[in-house]
Amino acid sequence: YWAQSGRITKDLYAAVEGLRPQINKLEGYVILAKDKLSIDVKNFGIGELRKALKKKNVEGVVNKIDLVMGNVNAENNEAELTAKGFKPALKTAILEIRNRIRGLNEQQQLKKTEMKEAIKENWDVIGELRDMAMEVMVAGKAMYRVENKVRVKDYTPYQLKKKVSLERKR
């Protein structure tokens, strides 16, 4: 689960970063058409979208893209932007990236849910393992408490973890 989630996160952040050039172009067209747009450049949502991009706030990015594209579609804005060079291909590219980000985010949330479920399913096994380790520590301390005080130290949580780690490396 961890590796898959990491791969999804990497793809998600790459998609978020891939949005920047498209937003820069759109901002240029918005600035060029600022006098003829029904929404002021400051209120167009591009600044808020940049903040979400910088923070890698995926949900925020999706919401702000929707805001910006809603402003593009508002009233006569798209016609004014098109007059300044805005192309439908740019609009399509932005929407495709938004859809990719949304899809990857949903996949990531699904992986998180799967990981939580796996932990819940294995919780009993983890508890049993903990109980077994406690039994070994108590028994070992009891057996060597008087006869071999140096050996008693081998039955501490630290020493058991250390032995398990060494065994795993082998």
Side-chain angles (χ1 to χ4, degrees):
Y1 295 110
W2 292 106
Q4 292 171 343
S5 181
R7 192 171 348 115
I8 292 169
T9 300
K10 184 179 173 185
D11 292 346
L12 186 58
Y13 288 164
V16 167
E17 286 303 313
L19 184 61
R20 282 184 192 280
Q22 313 303 331
I23 296 304
N24 291 342
K25 290 176 187 176
L26 176 59
E27 183 180 33
Y29 296 124
V30 169
I31 291 169
L32 291 173
K34 67 182 177 188
D35 295 334
K36 297 187 180 186
L37 297 175
S38 63
I39 299 167
D40 188 48
V41 174
K42 292 178 185 176
N43 298 328
F44 214 82
I46 293 175
E48 296 170 21
L49 176 54
R50 284 189 198 286
K51 287 178 187 175
L53 286 168
K54 186 175 181 180
K55 291 180 183 179
K56 293 186 175 157
N57 173 359
V58 177
E59 288 86 5
V61 168
V62 171
N63 289 335
K64 298 309 174 191
I65 292 171
D66 290 341
L67 171 70
V68 169
M69 296 315 288
N71 290 336
V72 167
N73 294 331
E75 297 178 28
N76 199 31
N77 288 345
E78 190 168 357
E80 295 299 336
L81 291 168
T82 302
K84 297 298 181 182
F86 179 72
K87 305 230 180 322
L90 178 58
K91 180 179 179 181
T92 302
I94 292 170
L95 293 174
E96 284 175 357
I97 293 172
R98 180 204 57 197
N99 293 339
R100 176 155 171 72
I101 290 169
R102 183 180 283 151
L104 288 168
N105 189 43
E106 288 171 3
Q107 285 180 24
Q108 188 177 50
Q109 296 306 320
L110 182 64
K111 284 294 168 203
K112 285 181 182 179
T113 302
E114 288 174 2
M115 283 190 284
K116 286 178 185 178
E117 290 299 319
I119 289 169
K120 284 180 186 176
E121 288 174 11
N122 293 316
W123 196 250
D124 292 338
V125 175
I126 293 168
E128 288 176 27
L129 180 60
R130 182 189 158 281
D131 292 344
M132 288 169 47
M134 290 299 293
E135 188 177 328
V136 168
M137 287 187 291
V138 170
K141 286 179 185 178
M143 289 178 0
Y144 294 109
R145 184 175 300 132
V146 176
E147 295 174 9
N148 191 348
K149 292 187 180 200
V150 175
R151 189 101 191 257
V152 169
K153 293 178 185 176
D154 289 343
Y155 293 93
T156 62
Y158 173 77
Q159 289 298 329
L160 282 177
K161 287 180 190 176
K162 188 175 172 182
K163 287 180 182 180
V164 169
S165 294
L166 285 173
E167 196 64 35
R168 189 179 332 147
K169 287 179 184 175
R170 289 184 197 157

